[in-house]
């Protein structure tokens, strides 16, 4: 078993708490499961962007922003799939953690609040993915995996930055930031607890350090 560093460091200002050393250790020890789940996450992220485009078809600005994002997510999916194929690993279904559905359940149903929450939830998921990929890029003992995750970091940072920009196009910061703080707290709740089975480790499985500071409004600048 490979021991993880005692202090993972990948500070992302969207997030109310950083991932734990235990999650990193679990992910390092089960690279195949995390890689398969990563492929599924990239495909889901593309689907989430497309879903927003279909939900708001009259918004040219939204389409111009999200169409390239969806394409890039699918390119990432292709990268991960190619690595799986080189390693002889099948892209099989995996039981998903409750993380995504927990956050989706917080999205308010009445417009325009639904749109704001959808942007923020998508951004939070992208931010957590970026943080955990940064940890794997730094600490994975597998050079090929370090290279893969490191190669994806810049674009993943742009993705949650893009969702922030979309929010700012429609709402003032005094509306966005309190709601982001609420959703970020829920995101931490969704990742709190301990993993019952090692084989259930995922990109968004439980594992956070508590507590951390409140979100800082001046820190929210486009990435």
């Amino acid at each position: 078993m490979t021991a993880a560093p005692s202090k993972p460091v990948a500070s992302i200002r969207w997030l109310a708490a950083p991932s734990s050393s235990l999650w990193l250790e679990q992910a390092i020890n089960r690279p195949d499961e995390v890689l398969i789940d990563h492929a599924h996450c990239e495909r889901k992220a593309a689907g989430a962007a497309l879903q927003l485009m279909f939900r708001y078809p009259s918004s040219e600005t939204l389409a111009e922003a999200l169409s390239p994002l969806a394409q890039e997510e699918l390119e990432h999916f292709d990268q991960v799939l190619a690595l799986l194929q080189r390693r002889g690993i099948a892209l099989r279904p995996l039981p998903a953690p409750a993380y995504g559905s927990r956050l989706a359940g917080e999205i308010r149903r009445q417009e325009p609040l639904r749109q704001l929450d959808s942007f923020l939830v998508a951004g939070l998921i992208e931010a957590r993915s970026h943080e955990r990929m940064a940890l794997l890029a730094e600490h994975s003992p597998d050079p090929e995996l370090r290279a893969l995750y490191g190669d994806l970091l810049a674009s993943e940072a742009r993705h949650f930055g893009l969702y922030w920009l979309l929010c700012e196009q429609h709402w003032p910061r005094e509306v966005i930031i309190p709601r982001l703080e609420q959703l970020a707290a829920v995101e931490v709740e969704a990742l709190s607890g301990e993993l019952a089975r090692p084989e259930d480790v995922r990109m968004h499985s439980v594992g956070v350090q508590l507590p951390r500071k409140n979100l800082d409004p001046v820190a929210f600048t486009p990435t």
Side-chain angles (χ1 to χ4, degrees):
M1 178 178 292
T2 304
S6 59
K7 294 181 179 180
V9 177
S11 178
I12 306 295
R13 290 187 174 110
W14 276 64
L15 305 177
S19 293
S20 65
S21 297
L22 180 57
W23 175 84
L24 180 56
E25 180 180 351
Q26 292 167 337
I28 287 174
N29 289 330
R30 309 288 297 209
D32 291 359
E33 282 89 345
V34 174
L35 198 59
I36 293 169
D37 184 60
H38 185 184
H40 291 308
C41 288
E42 296 289 3
R43 187 160 51 185
K44 289 176 184 177
L50 290 172
Q51 184 180 48
L52 286 169
M53 291 172 61
F54 281 111
R55 187 185 301 163
Y56 306 106
S58 61
S59 174
E60 293 183 7
T61 302
L62 191 62
E64 290 174 358
L66 293 182
S67 178
L69 185 148
Q71 293 175 51
E72 192 167 41
E73 297 285 16
L74 289 176
E75 290 172 2
H76 293 175
F77 169 76
D78 289 340
Q79 284 182 255
V80 180
L81 181 60
L83 180 54
L84 287 169
Q85 291 171 341
R86 289 198 301 271
R87 294 183 170 211
I89 302 171
L91 181 64
R92 64 183 187 274
L94 292 176
Y99 175 80
S101 59
R102 176 73 176 86
L103 285 173
E106 294 296 314
I107 296 175
R108 293 168 288 189
R109 301 308 173 194
Q110 184 178 359
E111 298 290 3
L113 300 178
R114 184 186 186 190
Q115 187 180 63
L116 172 62
D117 287 358
S118 296
F119 291 161
L120 291 176
V121 165
L124 278 167
I125 294 172
E126 293 283 357
R128 183 63 69 182
S129 298
H130 178 273
E131 182 226 25
R132 290 189 163 181
M133 275 190 266
L135 292 173
L136 292 171
E138 181 178 357
H139 298 293
S140 174
D142 186 321
E144 194 172 29
L145 291 180
R146 287 201 307 272
L148 171 72
Y149 293 123
D151 185 51
L152 299 178
L153 283 180
S155 55
E156 291 295 335
R158 288 197 308 273
H159 294 173
F160 67 83
L162 173 60
Y163 281 113
W164 175 259
L165 287 173
L166 289 172
C167 288
E168 286 202 309
Q169 289 174 3
H170 296 86
W171 297 274
R173 289 192 175 193
E174 55 265 28
V175 172
I176 301 169
I177 290 173
R179 184 55 178 162
L180 176 54
E181 289 179 333
Q182 294 171 351
L183 292 171
V186 173
E187 196 263 351
V188 169
E189 290 176 7
L191 294 177
S192 298
E194 297 183 1
L195 198 62
R197 304 190 312 161
E199 60 268 29
D200 287 337
V201 64
R202 304 287 185 266
M203 189 63 72
H204 299 118
S205 56
V206 295
V208 286
Q209 297 176 12
L210 297 173
R212 207 183 113 181
K213 62 184 179 181
N214 291 333
L215 297 174
D216 179 4
V218 303
F220 291 95
T221 55
T223 301

